[in-house]
Amino acid sequence: MASKLGRQNKIKELLQSLEVTSQEQLAKLLMDADIEVTQATLSRDFAELGVIRLSGENGIRYVLNPDEAGSYISRFIGFEILSVTNNESMVLVRTLAGRAQGVAYYIDHLNKEEILGTVAGDDTVLVIPNTHNNIDRIMSIIKELMLNVPKQKQTNGVQIG
Amino acid sequence: MASKLGRQNKIKELLQSLEVTSQEQLAKLLMDADIEVTQATLSRDFAELGVIRLSGENGIRYVLNPDEAGSYISRFIGFEILSVTNNESMVLVRTLAGRAQGVAYYIDHLNKEEILGTVAGDDTVLVIPNTHNNIDRIMSIIKELMLNVPKQKQTNGVQIG
DNA sequence: CAAGAAAATGAATAATTATACATTTTTCTA
DNA sequence: TAGAAAAATGTATAATTATTCATTTTCTTG
């Protein structure tokens, strides 16, 4: 994997799976994946990818911007959803630990009129229907999402998600 | 205005109203507001405020992170509430990202008998009525909150928002 | 395929930011 | 209020990142 596109995809993977605190560090991480690149190129990649630099209590960290992160992860939304149930007034989606916020965000942005909104905890998303009559329809929507899993993602051995 | 707090508030204002592309530039902008500060202090302020550095096509830019942007205007509950909807069993309030908890707290402490309680996620608050018959009344209560916006914000001449 | 254009990249370096250390200011406590 | 402790800040500088310029690679087009 030596192309620019391949490299940038790998960068996205690494940013999501590890704490990246400098471009030099990332260059070394890429080296482990047999991708040689200089800091200068990473600086350019970051600009192209819209990578965000956060500086906070724990020093500096580079992360994907939310849009990128969203689109990147969206292919795996089916992986993140474990089950769907409902009662008379709402639909309850169970997710992987810590992924409820992400799943809720994804569901919100489907912009389905049947869905008034969502509330997410750590591993549970409440989906509120605009009317109780649409609960079954929302169940179908979510179940369809669950089919949305990756065919085969080339990750060069690094597990993501 | 010379205190650290005052300076940081001014920094938030400036980040929201202007394109800030370097700490040195911001130092000069602050100078115009009679706030003298060195780049080193701004670097520390950015870490404390959680300021984000974006690098993209148009070069570099510093912006407030969404949470900070929210808490800055948190005194104005009306600003934080984006919309209100309902179905047959509850009322759903959509807020600025990250502000749902704050809005829910506010609504809870209205101590309205029509409101049994609230559940908040990141940008959504569920308001549970004591009885379905009161949903319309709760809608009115929330809509009234939305009018609760600031009369006049003293900004030392710099327009924000 | 060859010539030229465009894109990508590295090396070197300019520009910018983060931080160690010293000093000053503020806050706390007796 | 004196003295100690903590917080804030500036200076100087180390660390990091962005960019210029030169070179290489890739893509067109005849």
Side-chain angles (χ1 to χ4, degrees):
Chain A
M1 185 198 290
S3 69
K4 178 177 176 182
L5 185 63
R7 183 185 64 238
Q8 293 191 343
N9 276 333
K10 191 72 186 180
I11 289 172
K12 290 185 196 175
E13 276 186 26
L14 291 172
L15 289 178
Q16 289 204 317
S17 56
L18 301 173
E19 296 249 341
V20 174
T21 63
S22 80
Q23 295 175 2
E24 292 287 2
Q25 176 209 2
L26 182 57
K28 285 173 189 162
L29 291 173
L30 287 168
M31 193 84 83
D32 295 341
D34 283 322
I35 300 176
E36 277 196 53
V37 73
T38 59
Q39 171 267 324
T41 297
L42 291 182
S43 173
R44 295 176 186 119
D45 282 345
F46 278 9
E48 285 182 25
L49 295 173
V51 169
I52 289 171
R53 182 166 84 157
L54 307 173
S55 72
E57 306 299 308
N58 322 317
I60 291 167
R61 181 175 183 191
Y62 290 94
V63 299
L64 291 178
N65 78 48
D67 287 351
E68 275 299 325
S71 68
Y72 184 57
I73 204 74
S74 75
R75 279 173 293 173
F76 305 108
I77 195 74
F79 269 177
E80 301 192 319
I81 298 176
L82 301 181
S83 66
V84 209
T85 53
N86 71 281
N87 63 12
E88 300 90 343
S89 54
M90 65 187 85
V91 173
L92 191 146
V93 179
R94 193 53 70 93
T95 75
L96 292 175
R99 294 307 308 154
Q101 297 286 345
V103 170
Y105 181 89
Y106 187 89
I107 293 174
D108 275 341
H109 287 73
L110 294 175
N111 282 116
K112 297 285 184 183
E113 67 169 344
E114 295 91 345
I115 297 175
L116 222 50
T118 63
V119 182
D122 180 68
D123 64 358
T124 305
V125 181
L126 293 185
V127 184
I128 313 304
N130 64 342
T131 167
H132 295 171
N133 293 333
N134 279 331
I135 284 181
D136 282 342
R137 201 171 308 203
I138 292 174
M139 289 291 287
S140 301
I141 292 171
I142 307 293
K143 283 175 180 166
E144 195 165 344
L145 289 184
M146 294 177 71
L147 301 177
N148 192 349
V149 293
K151 319 130 211 316
Q152 183 80 340
K153 177 82 177 65
Q154 76 284 42
T155 62
N156 282 24
V158 174
Q159 198 62 26
I160 56 179
Chain B
M1 188 198 287
S3 70
K4 179 178 175 181
L5 185 64
R7 182 186 65 240
Q8 293 191 341
N9 276 332
K10 191 72 187 179
I11 289 172
K12 292 183 193 173
E13 276 186 27
L14 291 172
L15 288 178
Q16 289 201 317
S17 56
L18 300 173
E19 296 249 341
V20 174
T21 62
S22 79
Q23 295 175 4
E24 292 287 1
Q25 176 210 3
L26 181 58
K28 285 174 190 163
L29 290 173
L30 287 168
M31 194 84 84
D32 296 341
D34 283 321
I35 299 176
E36 278 197 54
V37 75
T38 61
Q39 172 269 323
T41 296
L42 291 182
S43 174
R44 295 174 185 123
D45 282 344
F46 279 9
E48 285 181 23
L49 295 173
V51 169
I52 289 172
R53 183 166 83 158
L54 307 172
S55 73
E57 307 300 308
N58 322 316
I60 290 167
R61 182 175 182 191
Y62 289 94
V63 300
L64 289 178
N65 78 47
D67 285 352
E68 273 302 323
S71 69
Y72 183 53
I73 58 182
S74 72
R75 279 172 293 172
F76 315 115
I77 196 76
F79 268 180
E80 301 195 319
I81 299 176
L82 301 180
S83 66
V84 207
T85 53
N86 70 282
N87 64 13
E88 299 89 342
S89 55
M90 64 189 84
V91 172
L92 192 145
V93 179
R94 192 54 71 93
T95 74
L96 292 175
R99 294 308 304 155
Q101 298 286 346
V103 170
Y105 181 88
Y106 189 92
I107 292 174
D108 277 341
H109 287 74
L110 292 175
N111 281 115
K112 297 286 185 183
E113 65 170 347
E114 296 91 343
I115 297 175
L116 221 48
T118 62
V119 181
D122 180 68
D123 65 356
T124 305
V125 180
L126 292 187
V127 184
I128 314 298
N130 63 342
T131 165
H132 294 171
N133 294 333
N134 277 331
I135 285 182
D136 282 344
R137 201 171 309 202
I138 291 175
M139 289 290 288
S140 300
I141 291 171
I142 307 293
K143 283 177 181 167
E144 196 166 344
L145 289 185
M146 294 178 71
L147 301 177
N148 191 350
V149 292
K151 322 128 209 321
Q152 182 81 342
K153 175 90 177 61
Q154 77 284 38
T155 62
N156 283 20
V158 175
Q159 198 63 26
I160 57 178

